[in-house]
Amino acid sequence: MRILHLDPDDMGNPLSGGGPVRTYEIYKRLARRHEITVLTPTFEGSTPDLHRNGIRYLRLGRKIRDHGSSHHITYLMSLPGAVRRFDHDLLIEDFMPPASSTWTPWFRHRDRPLIASVQWFFARAYTEKLKLPFHWGEEYGVRMYDHFVVLTEAMRDRIRGRHASANCRVIANGVDEALFQTAAAPGQGILYLGRIEIAAKGIDLLLAAYARIPEAERQPLTLAGTVQEPAALQALIDQFELQRWVSVLGPYDAASRLRLLESCRFVVMPSRTETFGMTIAEANAAARQTIIWDRAPMNEVASPSSPRVRAFDVDAYAAAMRELLGISAPQLTQLGEDTRLHARRWDWDAAADAQENFYLEVMELHQRGLRSSGRT
């Protein structure tokens, strides 16, 4: 089967999130049996054509002068020609900014099936920021697609709330097997992992909560990940007088992630919005509790013992951190073992098998529909 995948991001991009990691992990397994091409935007340092473990990555669009969004806009503009130009049997489209859905259903080959992969579903934030109705793409644009891969039951409910007849398959992310080999005994300090984006990732809420912990009870807080707004981040650290308590490490690789998780006491994940929450799954696999807001999909992904806090209640988040700082190491180790057992459900091999099976099912459904309409 020839699979053409439209991905608005790439794991080589320093500003990328978890979506392109999923694309790579799934397809490096499926590439043993299928021909896979992934179309992504350009980014600083990208090459026009790249092969990773049997997957071909091709870049579309370009950056125009210093316009920060030009690579993404030109990528979107390039898609109609690219989809018509590259031979494929199955087309996969990752939902992308600014409206989640795109115009792909209008220009695709009608004799080949299309599946929407819901890695991004935050159009309302763009509506509020730019004062344009991008959220209509989520409210109405999803109805142009028949088949969906979603990461959580919560997202399946959201899609079906807008498109009742949608064929949705829940296929969660996996985690690196090496995380399950880390020591369960807790280290020292509090860890945040992921893109350091103040509003979306709730860094402002985290720092406000951390500042409420009495100094006598605190352990250092480490923020690891690409910083999106360095000046605004430093202003928050200064505002809460946390200069000697908070360390910002910047980007990390898989080996660094392993060391950071093994050396910390627990993980904080204060995101306002997510489509899955890879950090939660990774921390739980490493036997670390993760404090989250009690809202979907984070509360679906986190282990039962990971603390859930009423959404955006900063005082309650501070109390949850104080509790994990105060319990004994043997108690935290036992919680970690239970958490790791729960995280065994996040498996890349199982995800790849499930995704391949869904692809084949959709291909068969599509061929059946063509036969019944007399088009084959």
Side-chain angles (χ1 to χ4, degrees):
M1 177 167 53
R2 296 169 303 172
I3 300 168
L4 183 63
H5 190 112
L6 314 180
D7 191 333
D9 209 348
D10 184 273
M11 57 192 285
N13 187 345
L15 302 179
S16 70
V21 174
R22 176 189 172 90
T23 299
Y24 171 72
E25 291 291 344
I26 295 287
Y27 286 147
K28 78 176 184 181
R29 291 162 171 83
L30 300 194
R32 302 160 192 165
R33 297 179 292 279
H34 306 285
E35 179 185 314
I36 299 167
T37 301
V38 180
L39 305 182
T40 81
T42 58
F43 56 90
E44 187 173 351
S46 66
T47 57
D49 193 333
L50 174 69
H51 290 258
R52 291 189 183 117
N53 275 347
I55 311 162
R56 186 184 185 192
Y57 287 81
L58 296 174
R59 318 302 186 183
L60 304 178
R62 64 190 180 90
K63 187 173 182 179
I64 301 173
R65 297 190 180 90
D66 292 325
H67 194 292
S69 299
S70 58
H71 69 289
H72 192 77
I73 294 169
T74 56
Y75 171 75
L76 286 170
M77 299 299 291
S78 300
L79 287 181
V83 168
R84 305 294 295 186
R85 184 167 72 252
F86 291 104
D87 288 336
H88 60 277
D89 304 305
L90 175 66
L91 179 62
I92 313 297
E93 179 193 346
D94 277 3
F95 276 179
M96 61 190 79
S100 294
S101 62
T102 69
W103 48 66
T104 304
W106 297 338
F107 59 72
R108 70 183 178 91
H109 294 282
R110 295 290 174 177
D111 60 344
R112 295 159 219 181
L114 166 65
I115 298 175
S117 175
V118 187
Q119 305 287 330
W120 193 91
F121 211 66
F122 310 120
R124 191 163 289 278
Y126 275 75
T127 294
E128 293 170 359
K129 180 179 179 180
L130 300 177
K131 311 304 179 187
L132 293 170
F134 294 117
H135 64 285
W136 289 354
E138 289 180 358
E139 294 297 328
Y140 306 108
V142 295
R143 299 174 190 176
M144 297 189 296
Y145 303 77
D146 296 320
H147 310 288
F148 298 80
V149 170
V150 296
L151 307 184
T152 63
E153 299 287 347
M155 184 57 72
R156 177 165 61 183
D157 291 344
R158 290 183 68 183
I159 295 295
R160 285 187 171 165
R162 294 158 174 79
H163 185 0
S165 62
N167 177 23
C168 278
R169 185 64 52 86
V170 178
I171 305 173
N173 286 333
V175 297
D176 185 346
E177 181 62 29
L179 293 167
F180 291 99
Q181 310 309 317
T182 56
Q188 292 293 308
I190 303 168
L191 177 64
Y192 168 88
L193 279 175
R195 202 168 62 251
I196 303 175
E197 187 176 356
I198 291 171
K201 298 298 184 179
I203 303 301
D204 52 338
L205 303 174
L206 170 61
L207 294 177
Y210 181 72
R212 286 164 167 75
I213 301 173
E215 290 194 10
E217 299 177 28
R218 279 184 202 161
Q219 290 188 19
L221 169 64
T222 298
L223 306 178
T226 302
V227 180
Q228 304 284 303
E229 307 133 297
L233 175 63
Q234 188 59 54
L236 280 171
I237 293 171
D238 293 343
Q239 175 188 333
F240 292 114
E241 300 182 346
L242 297 173
Q243 297 89 338
R244 69 188 184 91
W245 292 97
V246 177
S247 300
V248 182
L249 294 188
Y252 55 88
D253 58 16
S256 299
R257 178 189 61 196
L258 203 65
R259 290 193 297 271
L260 286 165
L261 284 168
E262 192 163 35
S263 63
C264 78
R265 185 173 179 85
F266 60 86
V267 172
V268 285
M269 214 299 196
S271 289
R272 287 178 166 90
T273 56
E274 292 285 344
T275 51
F276 184 77
M278 279 291 292
T279 297
I280 301 170
E282 290 169 346
N284 287 175
R288 296 299 180 262
Q289 304 308 302
T290 309
I291 304 176
I292 61 166
W293 303 120
D294 191 8
R295 66 198 309 258
M298 289 80 82
N299 54 8
E300 183 179 331
V301 175
S303 69
S305 61
S306 285
R308 290 150 168 77
V309 176
R310 185 170 64 248
F312 316 139
D313 185 332
V314 170
D315 288 329
Y317 207 92
M321 286 193 282
R322 292 180 70 183
E323 183 175 351
L324 288 184
L325 287 168
I327 67 176
S328 69
Q331 285 178 292
L332 208 50
T333 300
Q334 184 56 58
L335 286 173
E337 296 285 9
D338 295 342
T339 284
R340 172 171 282 164
L341 186 62
H342 173 86
R344 277 289 175 191
R345 68 192 62 201
W346 315 127
D347 180 88
W348 284 124
D349 289 337
D353 288 345
Q355 194 138 324
E356 181 180 35
N357 289 337
F358 186 58
Y359 285 1
L360 294 171
E361 288 175 27
V362 169
M363 289 285 291
E364 175 57 30
L365 282 171
H366 188 76
Q367 289 302 317
R368 220 181 295 161
L370 291 178
R371 287 194 293 270
S372 65
S373 66
R375 293 169 62 187
T376 59

